[in-house]
Amino acid sequence: MEFGWTQEEAAHRERVRAVLARVLPPDWEDIARHGPGSDEQTAFSKIFCPALHAEGLLIPHWPKPYGGQDESIWRQFIMAEELWAVGEPRGPQYMNVNWVGPVMFKFGTQAQLETYLPPILAGQAVWCQGFSEPSAGSDLAALRTAATPVEGGYRVNGGKIWTSYAAQADTCFLLARVPAAEGVSSGKAAIVILLVDMKSPGIQVKPIPALVGQGDIHEVFFDDVFVPAENRLGAEGQAWEIINYLLQHERVGIPRYALARRTLDRAVARLKSQGRWDDPVLRDRAGQALMLCEAARMMCYRVVDGKARDLPDDAFGSLARVAVVEAENGVSAFLTEFMPDGLLGGDPMQQAHHQRAIAAGVAAGPAEIQLNLIAQRWLNLPREPRAR
Amino acid sequence: MNHGLTEDQASILAGLDQLLGSRAPAAPTHPVTFIHDAALDGAIAEAGFLDIAREPGFGALDAALIVERLARLPCALEAAASAIVAPALDIAAGLRPIALATDPAAAVRHLPMARALLYPRGEAAVLIEIDPARVTPVETLFAYPYGRLDGLEGLAERVVGEAATLRRRWRIALAVEAAGCMAAGVAAVVEHITTRHAFGRPLGSFQAIQHRLARAAETTEATKWLAFRAAWTDSEADAAIAAGFAQQRIAELTYDLQQFSGAMGLTLEFPLHLWTYRLRALAGELGGATVQSRAAAAAAWGD
Ligand SMILES: Cc1cc2nc3c(=O)[nH]c(=O)nc-3n(C[C@H](O)[C@H](O)[C@H](O)COP(=O)(O)OP(=O)(O)OC[C@H]3O[C@@H](n4cnc5c(N)ncnc54)[C@H](O)[C@@H]3O)c2cc1C
């Protein structure tokens, strides 16, 4: 057991920082303050990702046959920390390298790899994740969007909601349900994954005005949208396995505490410049927020360590998610109480962090679902009887 | 970065488990607020487990692994000061048990059994050797033996290092010990609510209980990993963060654990208090969470 970085890992972190210092434009904060899904940040991601690729930093963790360097998960995570801390200049494209690619390697056909990987490598691909529906959020398996088998593929009808990046996306990673009559069975087994061209006739995208950053949530309507059979990922009935694989990649992919910590560092610098850092109450509260950030960091490191050492998946990812939600909200609560001016135009980056923080406990599966998973899979408590 | 045990660490802990397995802690014959097991204390010390940080190639993290394991026992062993604090100061191996105080005149944890009392005096860490005859036991709900020294007259203070070192290692020791107590307390309550039924189902199947225990599990794991990191880095900031985090969470965690044990949890017969009332004792040490929190802020961001 040890908690240090190798020289090589420390040098990697320095290199990522140096690249960021060189590649991020002077007005980066203006770009970043609207959030990863904003028009500004999406446009910038198409400049940034190719630049990152030129530095060998876009997909180094991918396997060699797919253009990567089989880099360790720790190096990947170090980079993710640095990128998330500055506001994620990969914009929506972080998804591509974190999970779209890895899911393709494992479950995609040769033709799918040839179609979808080149735009990702070119840093020009924007994906969206069409999972949640108006009546299927936490209970994802209740989704109803229908994929009716037709000659050569499927006809999709239904609607998705809360879909991030949908207005910008080229492709939707869509979950839909094969009708019970046609499907192998109902429930999870009747879900299929379709890789849908967002320019297909019958798709309509509506942004949802929200407290979170721009471009973060949309409604997507599917009206008799034809999806060719070759765009189905995996077999019918395999979707749930693929989703679980995907979520494992997704959940460690975002070191949210890194931005929380950086936001806190900035706040303390501002408090000092305002002559307020002598206040012991304020220091106490800043220290508490700091503890939450560091707790979240250590919990996420434990998840990464499990992957690095190839340990069987346990419920620790859920423990870490809860710690991350607490860190995000702890920092944001501290700032809201002691630096409300930051949300009144005083610090756009404070507001940008706030907007990410308030979604932390909901996006990618609510905190309460994580608590359920901890109770059942970590503490082995008896399940709550299911409602019929 | 590697959260797995080294071969050495695994074999040390296996040896410790073997020792603990071969001799169950003495069960109290009458209701007690704390359990002291002098024989077990002696056996652990004799086997060298508390001197691991003094061995070449080993350090405070190895000691922390041992202390966390020992803290899960129902009995209140003095391990943290001996294994984690003393090796960083000029204190000979074997001079133990050691009681840690911020004020030598106050009621101090472990003092009735201690051979040495360690405390800060100005910038220095000072130690006095204790004559047990001069210590009056203090009755308390806290699940540690507490005692008060009759005064410092005639006792020679010896400077053993810097107060900052004492404080830093004490914070680490406190966090590590808290992590062990939390783990054992959570395990005791999980067992209780899994076996006890109400309203036709196990208590543990109620989500209201599950969520709070899940958070207790998160608190326990976060405390543990922060504490182990602090033991490894031995840095001011990490030590203050680990101790402060633990202290900050103790009130909520112990309330929930007590609550889910019902009236039974308020008896001396049910063992839960042996962990919750150690945790509650630790919550107020070194000035409590706010002192640690401000120290963490100062270490991270300066003045
Ligand atoms: C910023 C943002 C971006 C998002 N991006 C996407 C995206 O790109 N693609 C996508 O598919 N989805 C996306 N989502 C949707 C997200 O996955 C859902 O919001 C989430 O799964 C919860 O579903 P819901 O909002 O319908 O909440 P509900 O299911 O209506 O639940 C509401 C609340 O009830 C509680 N709750 C629910 N179930 C339980 C339970 N079993 N036990 C205890 N408490 C419970 C929780 O507190 C939960 O927050 C995004 C959400 C946000 C906020």
Side-chain angles (χ1 to χ4, degrees), chain A residues 128-134 136-139 161-164 212 216-217 359 361-366 368-369 372, chain B residues 207 211:
Chain A
C128 65
Q129 197 177 357
F131 287 15
S132 306
E133 297 181 5
S138 307
D139 186 7
I161 195 166
W162 318 127
T163 323
S164 302
V212 292
D216 243 11
I217 46 181
V362 177
E368 288 70 23
I369 299 295
N372 289 347
Chain B
Q207 196 185 50
H211 278 193

Side-chain angles (χ1 to χ4, degrees), chain B residues 99-143:
Chain B
L100 303 174
T102 35
D103 169 9
V108 175
R109 190 158 63 92
H110 290 303
L111 198 58
M113 288 78 190
R115 284 182 52 213
L117 176 61
L118 180 58
Y119 52 92
R121 169 158 324 281
E123 301 288 296
V126 297
L127 179 135
I128 49 178
E129 295 197 26
I130 301 288
D131 175 359
R134 295 185 55 180
V135 176
T136 313
V138 173
E139 261 194 49
T140 173
L141 296 177
F142 292 135

Side-chain angles (χ1 to χ4, degrees), chain B:
Chain B
M1 198 70 65
N2 188 333
H3 293 54
L5 299 174
T6 63
E7 270 182 35
D8 281 341
Q9 289 166 339
S11 84
I12 290 167
L13 289 180
L16 180 62
D17 281 339
Q18 203 175 12
L19 186 153
L20 297 176
S22 68
R23 35 157 315 136
T29 50
H30 55 96
V32 289
T33 53
F34 69 88
I35 301 175
H36 173 63
D37 186 336
L40 182 60
D41 180 280
I44 289 164
E46 189 148 319
F49 286 109
L50 305 181
D51 299 325
I52 186 79
R54 299 170 188 270
E55 301 290 328
F58 293 87
L61 175 59
D62 307 287
L65 292 168
I66 290 169
V67 169
E68 192 269 344
R69 178 73 191 76
L70 291 174
R72 290 189 240 159
L73 295 173
C75 56
L77 294 167
E78 189 290 283
S82 296
I84 296 174
V85 181
L89 299 165
D90 179 21
I91 300 173
L95 177 58
R96 67 168 300 279
I98 299 171
L100 303 174
T102 35
D103 169 9
V108 175
R109 190 158 63 92
H110 290 303
L111 198 58
M113 288 78 190
R115 284 182 52 213
L117 176 61
L118 180 58
Y119 52 92
R121 169 158 324 281
E123 301 288 296
V126 297
L127 179 135
I128 49 178
E129 295 197 26
I130 301 288
D131 175 359
R134 295 185 55 180
V135 176
T136 313
V138 173
E139 261 194 49
T140 173
L141 296 177
F142 292 135
Y144 289 104
Y146 269 78
R148 197 188 299 273
L149 197 58
D150 64 1
L152 291 176
E153 306 84 71
L155 295 171
E157 278 185 348
R158 180 164 69 82
V159 173
V160 291
E162 292 180 6
T165 310
L166 166 59
R167 228 174 267 121
R168 185 177 72 250
R169 286 295 182 104
W170 187 348
R171 285 182 172 131
I172 296 168
L174 185 156
V176 171
E177 187 157 351
C181 289
M182 288 174 180
V186 169
V189 171
V190 163
E191 189 186 317
H192 179 70
I193 63 172
T194 304
T195 49
R196 185 167 167 80
H197 285 62
F199 304 99
R201 38 194 274 220
L203 285 175
S205 69
F206 286 94
Q207 196 185 50
I209 293 180
Q210 291 194 344
H211 278 193
R212 280 154 65 185
L213 264 190
R215 187 166 141 94
E218 183 257 337
T219 291
T220 304
E221 289 298 315
T223 300
K224 180 173 91 180
W225 291 112
L226 286 171
F228 286 168
R229 175 178 71 167
W232 192 83
T233 63
D234 203 12
S235 92
E236 293 294 340
D238 290 348
I241 286 170
F245 181 87
Q247 289 183 316
Q248 175 70 33
R249 290 285 176 95
I250 282 171
E252 175 189 327
L253 180 131
T254 56
Y255 171 77
D256 282 348
L257 297 187
Q258 289 291 153
Q259 198 63 18
F260 302 147
S261 309
M264 194 56 166
L266 303 177
T267 66
L268 291 180
E269 179 190 339
F270 194 69
L272 182 64
H273 71 101
L274 297 171
W275 297 291
T276 51
Y277 271 83
R278 269 192 275 159
L279 287 166
R280 286 176 174 173
L282 296 175
E285 234 161 64
L286 280 163
T290 178
V291 169
Q292 277 40 268
S293 181
R294 280 180 278 141
W301 298 300
D303 281 323

Side-chain angles (χ1 to χ4, degrees), chain A residues 312-337:
Chain A
D313 186 36
D314 56 21
F316 211 93
S318 295
L319 287 158
R321 273 284 316 276
V322 171
V324 165
V325 172
E326 282 163 0
E328 282 277 52
N329 285 288
V331 169
S332 153
F334 169 71
L335 294 175
T336 305
E337 181 173 347

